[in-house]
Amino acid sequence: MAFVITSPCVSEKSGECVDVCPVDCIVEGEDQFYINPNTCIDCGMCVMQCPVAAIVEEFDLRPEDEQYLQKAEEFFSK
């Protein structure tokens, strides 16, 4: 997974990231948006448009944000 949506998105769900994604890989969940790693082309458009700076590269995740990677993996394994 190249990008992960983290805590600033929870309950915010602005949606600008969805509008700019060229491959429609961002999906709305119950409390936040998720990026589908199987569809994402790593273009970074979502990162630039996120008004709450919630989207980070997987390798830049802080330890306290690693739970959001797990949360996304669980969301797309259903």
Side-chain angles (χ1 to χ4, degrees):
M1 179 179 291
F3 294 102
V4 179
I5 299 177
T6 61
S7 61
C9 183
V10 175
S11 300
E12 173 66 32
K13 298 197 313 184
S14 294
E16 284 90 337
C17 57
V18 176
D19 296 336
V20 298
C21 181
V23 293
D24 298 324
C25 72
I26 303 173
V27 179
E28 185 174 359
E30 187 174 318
D31 63 342
Q32 73 174 83
F33 286 101
Y34 297 96
I35 297 174
N36 187 332
N38 298 318
T39 313
C40 180
I41 59 171
D42 305 329
C43 70
M45 294 294 295
C46 59
V47 176
M48 293 183 281
Q49 291 298 314
C50 182
V52 294
I55 305 172
V56 297
E57 289 191 78
E58 175 183 356
F59 300 111
D60 291 334
L61 280 174
R62 298 175 299 170
E64 61 268 20
D65 287 333
E66 289 181 8
Q67 65 179 322
Y68 293 98
L69 173 59
Q70 295 170 346
K71 195 174 173 183
E73 290 170 344
E74 290 172 7
F75 181 84
F76 288 107
S77 69
K78 296 176 185 177

